[in-house]
Amino acid sequence: KEKKETFHIGFSQCASDVWRETMNKEMVMTAALYPDIQLTILNAEENTRRQELQIQELINKNVDLLIISPNESGPITPIAEEAFNQGIPTIIIDREINSENYTAFVGADNTQIGKDVASYIANMNNGRGAIFEIRGMDGSSPAKDRNSGFMEVLKKYPDLKIKESVEGKWLPEIAAQKAATAFNEYDFDIVFGHNDVMAQSARRVADSLNINNLFVVGIDALPNLGMELVEQGVLQASFIYPTGGKKAIEVARDILTGKTFQKQNILGTSVVDSSNVTVLRLQMDQVMAFQDILNRQTSRIKEQEIQFNDQRSLLNVALIS
Ligand code: FRU
């Protein structure tokens, strides 16, 4: 039987902020290393219904493998299960679905991150303070898990309490509105934003109301976003939340080529604060510079391939005539 030449991977991405663009880029760059992989990315722009339709569209296109980052866990579960039950290998990335019916998961442990954030805040504030928590979208698993991990560890610290918790839906504009209301109503010592852009929003609002001495913590720590905010003192800390884009393509290829793979691929995290941000940023700058060289090399090779193929067809034409 003839071996299949190319694998078509369809990726259903839920939103298009900087973190998501980083994930897409990682996938595109990793896929470019394999000539037998074709990658299609559809973006639902935070619209769960649209994501369902896009997953259906990828199924209809007969993709060989699906990668899904679900906007909301509940509503995306049935269509993800449907794909899996039809025999399409399905990788869930970053946000989870409410089912075990998938081929592999790639992402960090958000309950653990929530716990780490609480321990860190407790250590840095002598176990006391009034916290303002800005949650992600309640229907998405990282928001639920970050909140529950956070609350679990806070139980150990009677003088460290959540005074107000709001749903910021991962979005800086919504976080800003809710922060304005909360800051007018209560006094806080600490802000925990479930991601850096919401934490940054809260800081802006606090600045505009002349509220000082806030200890602000976020999550994601992208080199040109969260890490920079920590360097500038806008955030006191952020936690690295790896996108898993590269890993997802590697796992996809292992699945497609019949290699062994793990169902659970849990990615690590780490705190970024004033104690390590300078060295981390320097290292990230170097990594990104190399990344850039690699990218340019990959496109050079692609160009040469095209030139080579053109010349070969010219040669064929010449030989035939
Ligand atoms: C991006 C994002 C990140 C967050 C992740 C959780 O869309 O909101 O900021 O860490 O999603 O799924």
Side-chain angles (χ1 to χ4, degrees):
K1 204 177 151 196
E2 204 185 313
K3 231 179 128 219
K4 199 163 188 276
E5 283 276 278
T6 61
F7 299 111
H8 188 183
I9 298 176
F11 173 38
S12 166
Q13 174 63 289
C14 61
S16 60
D17 48 80
V18 181
W19 189 86
R20 302 264 155 210
E21 294 306 331
T22 307
M23 183 198 275
N24 296 352
K25 210 167 124 191
E26 270 184 42
M27 284 196 192
V28 169
M29 272 161 41
T30 311
L33 298 176
Y34 303 108
D36 57 355
I37 285 184
Q38 186 204 334
L39 176 66
T40 302
I41 302 179
L42 299 183
N43 200 315
E45 314 287 352
E46 283 140 34
N47 182 331
T48 303
R49 177 73 192 128
R50 184 157 173 208
Q51 183 166 35
E52 277 178 81
L53 295 171
Q54 289 181 334
I55 294 170
Q56 189 59 57
E57 190 182 329
L58 292 169
I59 296 173
N60 295 346
K61 277 193 177 135
N62 289 318
V63 292
D64 298 299
L65 183 144
L66 256 179
I67 304 177
I68 301 173
S69 192
N71 193 45
E72 293 173 280
S73 306
I76 294 301
T77 299
I79 185 84
E81 279 188 314
E82 196 180 308
F84 178 79
N85 291 333
Q86 279 180 29
I88 305 171
T90 304
I91 298 178
I92 308 295
I93 184 166
D94 146 58
R95 298 184 186 173
E96 292 166 28
I97 55 171
N98 299 333
S99 160
E100 293 293 307
N101 290 328
Y102 55 82
T103 314
F105 172 78
V106 175
D109 178 343
N110 283 294
T111 309
Q112 188 59 50
I113 293 179
K115 289 182 186 173
D116 291 352
V117 172
S119 305
Y120 178 82
I121 288 177
N123 281 334
M124 300 302 280
N125 294 274
N126 298 318
R128 52 177 57 243
I131 305 173
F132 176 43
E133 181 191 25
I134 310 173
R135 305 187 309 274
M137 192 171 45
D138 285 343
S140 69
S141 63
K144 265 184 256 162
D145 296 346
R146 287 173 191 181
N147 169 265
S148 65
F150 188 65
M151 299 222 294
E152 200 186 312
V153 169
L154 284 189
K155 282 189 203 142
K156 293 198 290 186
Y157 301 93
D159 296 327
L160 186 60
K161 287 206 183 77
I162 301 179
K163 204 166 199 180
E164 174 71 323
S165 177
V166 299
E167 187 191 17
K169 300 194 180 222
W170 303 119
L171 301 173
E173 308 78 33
I174 296 183
Q177 281 168 19
K178 302 215 171 163
T181 311
F183 288 153
N184 279 320
E185 208 156 329
Y186 307 102
D187 288 329
F188 299 104
D189 307 296
I190 297 149
V191 176
F192 168 34
H194 281 197
N195 68 12
D196 290 338
V197 288
M198 294 193 298
Q200 177 190 23
S201 266
R203 169 68 79 192
R204 283 207 184 114
V205 174
D207 286 349
S208 73
L209 297 171
N210 284 319
I211 300 170
N212 305 309
N213 297 324
L214 270 183
F215 190 89
V216 184
V217 179
I219 293 175
D220 284 344
L222 287 170
N224 292 327
L225 193 56
M227 282 192 193
E228 218 169 272
L229 294 173
V230 171
E231 225 172 11
Q232 296 163 351
V234 173
L235 305 181
Q236 271 54 59
S238 177
F239 284 71
I240 295 176
Y241 188 57
T243 73
K246 173 172 175 283
K247 184 73 186 172
I249 296 297
E250 286 166 356
V251 174
R253 195 157 186 284
D254 286 345
I255 294 171
L256 289 165
T257 55
K259 297 211 180 74
T260 54
F261 63 92
Q262 286 189 316
K263 182 165 179 181
Q264 299 299 331
N265 300 273
I266 307 303
L267 310 170
T269 181
S270 195
V271 67
V272 179
D273 66 5
S274 62
S275 74
N276 61 4
V277 69
T278 311
V279 68
L280 276 171
R281 278 269 293 171
L282 273 173
Q283 284 174 335
M284 287 311 297
D285 283 351
Q286 283 197 351
V287 169
M288 289 194 297
F290 275 115
Q291 206 80 271
D292 195 49
I293 294 175
L294 262 175
N295 282 343
R296 275 185 285 159
Q297 269 174 354
T298 316
S299 27
R300 272 293 283 150
I301 293 169
K302 282 249 152 70
E303 271 167 36
Q304 280 169 353
E305 247 168 33
I306 295 170
Q307 265 177 27
F308 174 78
N309 286 333
D310 285 352
Q311 280 164 5
R312 193 164 59 182
S313 15
L314 277 177
L315 187 67
N316 279 339
V317 173
L319 287 175
I320 291 165
S321 52

